[in-house]
Amino acid sequence: LEPNFFGVGSTPLIEGDTLIVNVGAKDASVVGFDLKTGKARWAAPAPKDWGPSYASPIPATVLGLRRVFVLAGGESRPATGGLLCIDPANGAVDFTLPWRGRRFESVNASSPLIVDNHIYIAECYGRGGTVLELSRAGDKLAFKSLWENENLSTHFMTAIHQDGLLIGCDGHGPNDCPLVCVDLKTGAEKWRISPDLGETITTRTGDKRELKLSTDRCQLLQADGKTFCLTEWGHLLVLDVSAAGCKVASRKWLFAAGETWSPPVISKGLLYVCQNEADKVTQGVRRVVCYDLRE
């Protein structure tokens, strides 16, 4: 296997009693392993040099068929990769769709988003995003492209769906990736916003410093009827989003640390956040923090 730019970033998927991994080998792009024994059950091939990406395999039942969708593509010259639609029972590939930026340094990192019989995939190095409409042909899935453009070119976050809208952060970043909303079925842009999240900090010498901050390379999470946003710089926001626009309903600066890129997790009213850098104000350490949202 060839090394990737930043090591291994794809999360394995447990589907029934099969562990599914985007290994990125030449004759086995995605492999299903027996969960108990570790032995390979099947290997799904892909076009040449579709290496391991940073996007995770996403399972879904579409038109009555259980499938796993993988956006593959690792370090290769030329840059190659794309979408595979795989039957998790036997590794059979219904279809593939090449989708990758041309730059060697590009990555496929946003996991596919499935909405009913539509699937959205994207990257931010020049190819942009696309929505496919899936149809059933016997015991296989087929697709047709509804649109493709660069209105919402997600980097490593996965967009969310709400009321026929796709919402995510557009661009490579760190300071040029606003929140963007597009129509799921047409790709038409509804709005684009970079919220002002500026903060005033006191340095260790006692000086006041103004920081110009926004959401930038953020992560979005839907839970309990709310849309949460964990920004690149440690803000936790509750957003009011619709086709008309986006407003910050509430905000809290959890820590003054950058590279807050890991998706937050909510379980039983508790929010888990990975602080990937030391706090620039308190000099606190990297850590995983749990916040109580139950009140």
Side-chain angles (χ1 to χ4, degrees):
L1 299 181
E2 295 294 328
N4 222 338
F5 292 104
F6 307 106
V8 178
S10 177
T11 303
L13 168 70
I14 294 177
E15 175 73 10
D17 58 357
T18 302
L19 178 70
I20 299 174
V21 184
N22 176 204
V23 298
K26 290 186 177 181
D27 297 323
S29 178
V30 182
V31 178
F33 298 93
D34 186 286
L35 193 58
K36 293 183 178 179
T37 67
K39 293 183 178 179
R41 286 182 166 173
W42 50 257
K48 183 180 179 181
D49 295 330
W50 282 25
S53 71
Y54 304 103
S56 298
I58 301 297
T61 300
V62 180
L63 301 174
L65 297 176
R66 189 66 174 174
R67 291 295 185 264
V68 171
F69 298 89
V70 180
L71 185 61
E75 188 169 347
S76 63
R77 289 186 186 274
T80 59
L83 178 68
L84 298 94
C85 174
I86 302 171
D87 185 340
N90 54 24
V93 178
D94 285 355
F95 65 81
T96 62
L97 172 68
W99 198 265
R100 182 75 183 273
R102 292 184 178 181
R103 287 173 50 185
F104 167 65
E105 299 86 355
S106 67
V107 298
N108 279 348
S110 289
S111 300
L113 175 66
I114 297 90
V115 181
D116 298 325
N117 67 322
H118 297 87
I119 180 168
Y120 164 74
I121 58 172
E123 60 80 61
C124 71
Y125 292 85
R127 190 67 191 272
T130 185
V131 163
L132 312 178
E133 183 176 65
L134 303 176
S135 60
R136 184 165 175 167
D139 59 354
K140 294 182 178 295
L141 290 179
F143 74 91
K144 69 175 182 179
S145 177
L146 292 186
W147 57 265
E148 58 180 78
N149 60 43
E150 295 185 52
N151 288 342
L152 181 56
S153 302
T154 54
H155 189 182
F156 49 75
M157 65 93 68
T158 299
I160 61 172
H161 169 258
Q162 178 177 308
D163 301 326
L165 305 171
L166 296 174
I167 303 164
C169 56
D170 170 53
H172 181 276
N175 303 121
D176 61 345
C177 42
L179 287 173
V180 174
C181 173
V182 303
D183 185 277
L184 169 68
K185 293 186 178 181
T186 68
E189 184 174 311
K190 297 295 185 180
W191 48 259
R192 177 177 297 260
I193 184 174
S194 294
D196 181 4
L197 303 176
E199 298 282 357
T200 301
I201 64 171
T202 302
T203 67
R204 285 179 291 176
T205 60
D207 297 326
K208 297 289 186 180
R209 183 181 176 189
E210 302 291 332
L211 298 181
K212 185 178 180 180
L213 305 173
S214 189
T215 50
D216 295 322
R217 291 173 291 192
C218 63
Q219 296 284 352
L220 298 178
L221 176 66
Q222 294 165 310
D224 196 25
K226 298 179 180 179
T227 299
F228 295 91
C229 175
L230 180 65
T231 78
E232 177 160 7
W233 313 107
H235 282 98
L236 179 65
L237 313 175
V238 176
L239 301 176
D240 288 334
V241 293
S242 68
C246 173
K247 295 182 179 180
V248 178
S250 63
R251 62 186 266 190
K252 175 69 175 179
W253 204 17
L254 305 181
F255 40 76
E259 295 189 5
T260 307
W261 296 337
S262 299
V265 174
I266 293 179
S267 176
K268 299 180 180 179
L270 300 177
L271 172 73
Y272 298 88
V273 174
C274 177
Q275 181 183 333
N276 195 45
E277 284 191 343
D279 193 300
K280 292 177 172 57
V281 176
T282 66
Q283 302 302 304
V285 298
R286 300 177 181 181
R287 58 189 178 158
V288 174
V289 194
C290 178
Y291 298 92
D292 194 336
L293 301 180
R294 293 173 292 185
E295 295 183 359

